[in-house]
Amino acid sequence: MTYKNLFLLILYLSLNACSSLPIAYITNQGSNTVSVVDIKNRKITHEIPVGNGPVGVAISLKQNYGFITNANDGSVDVLDLYQNKIVKKIIIGGTPVGITKSTDERYIFVSDWFNNKIIIIETKSLSVIKKIKVGKSPSGMICDDQGKYLFISNRDENTVEIYNQSSLSLFKKIKVGKHPYGVFFRKNLLFVVNVLDDSISIIDINTFNIETIKVGDHPYGVVSDIKNEFIFVTNTQDDDISVIDLIQKKEIKKIKVGGNPEGIDIDERNHLLVISNWRSDSISIIDVIKQEYLYDVKTGKQSRSFGQFIKIE
Amino acid sequence: MKKIIIGIFLTFVSFSVFAHGPSPQKVEKSITINASPDKVWAIVKDFGSFQKWEPLVTDIKLEKKGEDTLRTLTLKSGGKVIERLKGIDEEAMKLKYEIIEGAVPVADYNSFIVVSKGSNPNESNVTWVGRFYRVYKLNPPIPAGQDDESALKAVNEIYDAGLPALKKLAESK
């Protein structure tokens, strides 16, 4: 190799290291694995065996762990993001579905669907430190970026609960549509999908004003763009996503994706959406700015990825 | 007394439709038919004539309820099932429907049947897909007949009986 080539190689490698490489952690219910997907290079880099019926994902960059809920065997797997392997299985019993990290990433909250509880895992010790009773069938969860609140959707009682993140005391309970599931929070707005109403509820947590907007058939997941101008909702039974304009407060576009899209997350740096498709065993990538479909990447079987599942290096 | 019976019935309905297990189940079956897509689609989209190509259904009653189109199936095994037409997409040749309630041991069952072109003008492919949950919503032990296996078995039986019969009907006409 000539010096010039060597120089170019080093330049190339260092440029690559500086650019942000989004990695998606996709739970595959049908193959009991997590697919680690390099979004830009469109390929699976690792396929990691996990527990039975993996659904939810939370990524803690501070701790370098991914947390996976296994709904069918009552466990949470801890994935080391450097080594790409499971380093601990935390048995919590019940039916863990939703999962999210606290704002400071010191804790992981897990929703136990059928026991109506939230299990709190400490990320340092990787052990369960507390359980609290919440509403019926707690599903989606997310925290605000100030560290004040934990939001929970309770599927079987059609409510959203807002807990004080540090004291874990109930701050407010709000009625939403039928079967609230996926949730997302940005700025002052909490977004909740109502699966059986084919709608989303948008709650302003300063005024507690609620607006409801129609979307497609059986919506599951929702995210908003960085400016809170648009939201994107997966419609599981329509094989598309709804693009909602938050100023006009209505759906302005539908974008076709794979079969039975469930989980959705946003890569804010690269302006990409990643959607996991349960029926077609793939993820679909969408350009957030152009609001256009880009490409699919094959994953394991029955991909779900419930929660925030993208890591940006 | 009547009110109590209705009450019990409604409890059963809301239980079987709204609550379900944590992981959805999938059945996806396809068949190739030696008939044109138009001909096959005409049979498939006729929501009220399902019994013509589903041997497990002995009788069918089609009714309109407000904006909803419903069909009540009488199964060969004796039970009844109420299904709702969710949409007919002529361009995609795709019919969507769901189970409202009934004797099939599933919860939140959503399905579509799609007809696509085969390798020549006189050939079609039909794909039937169901996404649904087991009936039992709580933690194990799961009562017999309400687990994932029972749900999968029931749907597999319906699809396995229906698709060859659809092929036979479309090819004989």
Side-chain angles (χ1 to χ4, degrees):
Chain A
M1 191 183 281
T2 64
Y3 281 116
K4 192 186 163 197
N5 280 346
L6 184 65
F7 172 75
L8 285 175
L9 179 69
I10 291 167
L11 184 69
Y12 171 80
L13 287 174
S14 53
L15 278 176
N16 241 351
C18 292
S19 72
S20 52
L21 265 185
I23 305 288
Y25 294 85
I26 307 299
T27 51
N28 305 307
Q29 177 210 327
S31 37
N32 298 324
T33 59
V34 168
S35 298
V36 182
V37 186
D38 178 337
I39 298 300
K40 285 197 169 165
N41 292 313
R42 310 182 186 196
K43 62 170 194 217
I44 294 178
T45 59
H46 300 84
E47 186 84 9
I48 302 163
V50 293
N52 201 339
V55 197
V57 184
I59 303 291
S60 168
L61 267 185
K62 278 188 190 165
Q63 310 290 348
N64 262 294
Y65 287 133
F67 295 86
I68 312 294
T69 55
N70 301 303
N72 297 349
D73 70 12
S75 70
V76 170
D77 278 318
V78 183
L79 169 61
D80 185 309
L81 301 181
Y82 283 138
Q83 302 178 62
N84 284 302
K85 69 173 194 191
I86 302 301
V87 289
K88 185 164 183 180
K89 182 180 277 292
I90 304 169
I91 306 295
I92 63 161
T95 308
V97 175
I99 188 162
T100 199
K101 61 187 176 194
S102 66
T103 311
D104 60 12
E105 303 191 13
R106 284 173 65 194
Y107 305 103
I108 292 290
F109 303 107
V110 180
S111 64
D112 180 351
W113 228 16
F114 298 146
N115 295 316
N116 310 326
K117 279 180 193 157
I118 300 299
I119 285 97
I120 297 116
I121 294 169
E122 190 183 50
T123 50
K124 202 174 156 194
S125 63
L126 297 179
S127 54
V128 174
I129 56 155
K130 200 172 180 171
K131 293 182 182 187
I132 59 165
K133 197 84 184 155
V134 296
K136 269 188 180 172
S137 306
S139 305
M141 287 182 300
I142 197 156
C143 292
D144 66 329
D145 22 294
Q146 308 294 316
K148 274 171 86 175
Y149 301 121
L150 163 67
F151 306 98
I152 306 171
S153 63
N154 297 309
R155 188 193 65 160
D156 285 357
E157 62 171 43
N158 306 328
T159 65
V160 162
E161 286 179 323
I162 305 177
Y163 283 83
N164 182 308
Q165 217 188 104
S166 47
S167 69
L168 293 173
S169 55
L170 182 62
F171 168 63
K172 211 166 180 77
K173 197 192 243 313
I174 301 162
K175 208 70 184 157
V176 289
K178 257 197 221 164
H179 277 207
Y181 193 69
V183 294
F184 191 75
F185 185 82
R186 198 186 291 281
K187 293 178 180 172
N188 58 320
L189 298 181
L190 175 66
F191 307 97
V192 186
V193 305
N194 304 306
V195 180
L196 294 184
D197 276 350
D198 303 337
S199 71
I200 59 152
S201 298
I202 303 172
I203 303 164
D204 184 324
I205 62 139
N206 294 326
T207 61
F208 296 104
N209 180 44
I210 304 185
E211 301 210 47
T212 308
I213 299 173
K214 273 281 164 197
V215 293
D217 193 354
H218 275 62
Y220 254 54
V222 55
V223 292
S224 71
D225 72 325
I226 199 156
K227 293 179 185 159
N228 251 3
E229 288 177 338
F230 298 98
I231 53 173
F232 306 90
V233 180
T234 52
N235 300 311
T236 51
Q237 296 295 342
D238 281 339
D239 302 344
D240 62 18
I241 68 166
S242 294
V243 181
I244 311 285
D245 182 327
L246 281 177
I247 294 157
Q248 299 180 57
K249 303 228 160 65
K250 65 169 193 190
E251 183 182 89
I252 52 157
K253 193 174 181 178
K254 284 181 190 293
I255 305 171
K256 274 279 163 207
V257 292
N260 294 129
E262 288 202 5
I264 182 167
D265 197 10
I266 184 164
D267 167 0
E268 289 153 352
R269 239 187 281 176
N270 299 290
H271 309 291
L272 299 173
L273 293 174
V274 179
I275 290 118
S276 56
N277 304 309
W278 181 83
R279 194 177 75 246
S280 49
D281 308 333
S282 66
I283 53 173
S284 296
I285 315 299
I286 283 171
D287 183 321
V288 175
I289 311 281
K290 291 181 186 155
Q291 298 178 349
E292 277 172 11
Y293 169 85
L294 296 175
Y295 53 88
D296 264 29
V297 181
K298 269 285 169 197
T299 53
K301 281 181 188 157
Q302 293 171 296
S303 306
R304 304 193 77 184
S305 287
F306 187 40
Q308 271 57 57
F309 56 85
I310 301 177
K311 178 189 83 167
I312 302 163
E313 290 196 48
Chain B
M1 187 63 195
K2 205 173 179 185
K3 264 188 185 159
I4 294 170
I5 292 169
I6 291 169
I8 291 167
F9 179 68
L10 287 177
T11 311
F12 170 71
V13 169
S14 56
F15 178 81
S16 66
V17 175
F18 298 138
H20 55 66
S23 302
Q25 305 299 316
K26 173 168 75 171
V27 173
E28 181 166 352
K29 304 257 168 172
S30 295
I31 199 162
T32 301
I33 297 177
N34 296 313
S36 71
D38 285 349
K39 192 173 163 186
V40 176
W41 174 234
I43 300 170
V44 166
K45 76 172 176 183
D46 188 357
F47 192 65
S49 300
F50 183 45
Q51 83 288 3
K52 286 183 183 164
W53 60 274
E54 178 51 72
L56 301 183
V57 173
T58 55
D59 192 32
I60 193 165
K61 197 180 79 186
L62 190 74
E63 59 186 327
K64 281 259 179 198
K65 254 189 192 167
E67 285 182 8
D68 288 338
T69 301
L70 304 173
R71 66 184 181 195
T72 303
L73 313 176
T74 305
L75 301 181
K76 206 175 162 186
S77 54
K80 286 194 191 298
V81 184
I82 301 173
E83 297 180 333
R84 186 178 78 92
L85 179 66
K86 291 179 72 174
I88 288 177
D89 183 340
E90 288 284 351
E91 209 181 321
M93 293 193 284
K94 184 174 178 177
L95 176 142
K96 280 171 74 180
Y97 72 99
E98 65 181 348
I99 291 180
I100 301 292
E101 62 110 0
V104 182
V106 293
D108 199 17
Y109 170 97
N110 277 270
S111 171
F112 69 82
I113 309 176
V114 63
V115 182
S116 56
K117 285 177 187 163
S119 57
N120 68 65
N122 266 319
E123 192 182 280
S124 321
N125 292 310
V126 175
T127 300
W128 196 355
V129 183
R131 175 179 153 115
F132 50 90
Y133 296 82
R134 71 167 189 242
V135 173
Y136 192 65
K137 64 167 244 170
L138 299 175
N139 292 313
I142 303 165
Q146 297 186 16
D147 53 5
D148 291 335
E149 291 69 30
S150 302
L152 280 165
K153 184 171 174 278
V155 176
N156 268 301
E157 279 173 4
I158 294 167
Y159 292 16
D160 285 342
L163 287 175
L166 174 66
K167 179 180 167 75
K168 207 174 155 191
L169 178 67
E171 289 178 358
S172 69
K173 259 190 173 176

